[in-house]
Amino acid sequence: MKSPEKAKHAYEQALKRDPGHTNSLVNLARIFHEQGKYEKAAQNFEKAYEAEEKNKAEYLYYAAVSLLAGGSADRSLGLFERLLGAHPDEIKPRWHENLVYAFLEAGKNTEALPHIKLLAEKYTGKKQIQWQEILLHQYLELGMQDKAHKYALELTTQQPTLPKWWKALAHTALSENNYDQALTAMTIYSYLSPLSKKEKKLLGDLALHSGIPVKAVPYYKAFLEENQDKSVLKSLAAALRQLGKPEKALEALKRFKEHENDPELLMLKADLLYSMDRFNDAAEAYSAAARTKGKQEGRAWLMSGYSAWEAQDTDSAIKYFKKAAEFKAQKKEAGAALKKLKK
């Protein structure tokens, strides 16, 4: 009748007359559990277990769960071990779940692995997928990269139409520096699920790293349509240059709003112009990059000099090399260039 305090008092009176009255112990334990008094709940569940001639495994289980709910994971594990020893054939999958949580709460992740594996094998449907994910995550958490990779590969074989396993395989392959397999897995994933912005970038990076720039380009372009990102733009330019299309890279760069003020992008623009033998334009871009100051300044003046030299603008080349010679890293090379020019 939703009067737990009165019920508790009545059960306590009953137990004064009969300390081993199981139903009173169990119901009193339930009241304590609902009130958040987990220590007392565990004590009464354990007493109920001891009071029964044929010990009921569930009472010991509830005692373990109460301790777990109260933050006493180590003591909870002690009861779980007793339960496994006394009632090995009565353990239900749900009980194994809480045993796993007790292990994880106690920081004993390695000991939890056999039980997680058991649950991943016993369950079906959504529950199975949940425990397969937990097992994979634990392998990675514990630094078992090889086991994680093999398990992800096994999962893609078992359920090849489930996108998350292909994504997991890609990440485990990456952790082992297996870029080709990571690319394959992410490509299959892209057929099964729409790609997020980060995933488009990842696919582009994998294709570029695997020496397939033609595959990288569309993913980088798709990413840049949604988000202007300097690092992705640089990767797109690298892919287009590998394909022998520096002019396309230059076009992509011009569409990027920040390129006229960003020293890195100005250097990229200048490098592209230089590779296209547009030396006057390259000299202008390099000198613009140099004037923005920063760590690129010395190299920018040096390349301005080479560009002007290639354009047969000797006066400008000398001026740029003199500026480059002011920087320690470029001093020797700029000095050698000036000597040649004077000859």
Side-chain angles (χ1 to χ4, degrees), residues 134-167:
I134 291 171
L135 181 56
L136 189 59
H137 176 73
Q138 285 304 316
Y139 282 145
L140 291 168
E141 281 283 300
L142 292 165
M144 299 178 177
Q145 306 298 340
D146 186 50
K147 274 188 176 291
H149 188 205
K150 284 176 182 173
Y151 190 52
L153 194 56
E154 183 185 320
L155 292 171
T156 59
T157 308
Q158 289 173 7
Q159 296 168 300
T161 57
L162 200 62
K164 67 174 65 186
W165 299 144
W166 290 105
K167 189 174 179 181

Side-chain angles (χ1 to χ4, degrees), residues 83-338:
L83 179 63
L84 287 166
H87 307 276
D89 300 328
E90 296 179 52
I91 310 299
K92 300 169 186 175
R94 177 65 187 157
W95 298 8
H96 266 292
E97 289 189 42
N98 279 307
L99 172 58
V100 167
Y101 296 139
F103 274 125
L104 298 180
E105 191 70 28
K108 297 179 178 179
N109 299 46
T110 306
E111 289 93 322
L113 286 178
H115 302 282
I116 299 172
K117 197 171 181 183
L118 181 72
L119 290 167
E121 289 167 359
K122 269 194 173 185
Y123 279 128
T124 57
K126 288 183 179 179
K127 271 277 192 184
Q128 183 181 47
I129 293 168
Q130 176 196 338
W131 285 97
Q132 286 170 333
E133 283 186 285
I134 291 171
L135 181 56
L136 189 59
H137 176 73
Q138 285 304 316
Y139 282 145
L140 291 168
E141 281 283 300
L142 292 165
M144 299 178 177
Q145 306 298 340
D146 186 50
K147 274 188 176 291
H149 188 205
K150 284 176 182 173
Y151 190 52
L153 194 56
E154 183 185 320
L155 292 171
T156 59
T157 308
Q158 289 173 7
Q159 296 168 300
T161 57
L162 200 62
K164 67 174 65 186
W165 299 144
W166 290 105
K167 189 174 179 181
L169 179 60
H171 285 287
T172 57
L174 269 175
S175 71
E176 296 198 324
N177 298 322
N178 190 339
Y179 297 104
D180 289 345
Q181 190 176 65
L183 175 60
T184 302
M186 278 305 293
T187 302
I188 295 171
Y189 173 79
S190 73
Y191 299 148
L192 298 170
S193 176
L195 294 175
S196 69
K197 285 190 295 185
K198 281 180 74 176
E199 288 162 355
K200 286 171 187 171
K201 180 183 182 300
L202 175 60
L203 252 172
D205 290 343
L206 287 170
L208 188 62
H209 198 284
S210 299
I212 317 172
V214 70
K215 289 284 186 184
V217 168
Y219 291 118
Y220 287 141
K221 282 184 175 178
F223 179 95
L224 289 167
E225 280 173 14
E226 300 173 46
N227 187 50
Q228 289 217 332
D229 184 287
K230 184 167 72 174
S231 66
V232 177
L233 181 65
K234 287 166 74 177
S235 297
L236 173 61
L240 288 166
R241 284 181 76 174
Q242 284 183 31
L243 290 169
K245 297 179 179 178
E247 69 286 346
K248 293 284 184 186
L250 201 58
E251 283 175 29
L253 192 60
K254 284 177 182 174
R255 288 196 294 271
F256 198 84
K257 294 174 186 174
E258 306 297 324
H259 86 277
E260 291 294 350
N261 304 312
D262 187 288
E264 277 188 77
L265 296 182
L266 279 170
M267 287 297 286
L268 176 58
K269 178 182 177 181
D271 288 342
L272 288 167
L273 289 165
Y274 192 90
S275 71
M276 295 162 68
D277 295 342
R278 290 172 56 180
F279 298 116
N280 280 319
D281 294 332
E284 190 180 321
Y286 280 127
S287 59
R291 284 191 290 273
T292 61
K293 307 297 181 183
K295 61 183 180 181
Q296 82 296 335
E297 191 177 352
R299 178 177 174 267
W301 285 125
L302 185 70
M303 290 306 298
S304 298
Y306 283 127
S307 300
W309 193 355
E310 291 283 3
Q312 298 182 0
D313 183 354
T314 309
D315 291 342
S316 295
I318 291 169
K319 180 178 73 173
Y320 294 143
F321 282 132
K322 281 181 178 177
K323 286 182 177 290
E326 294 172 13
F327 295 85
K328 188 177 179 181
Q330 284 75 34
K331 187 175 182 179
K332 187 176 179 181
E333 194 174 343
L338 284 167

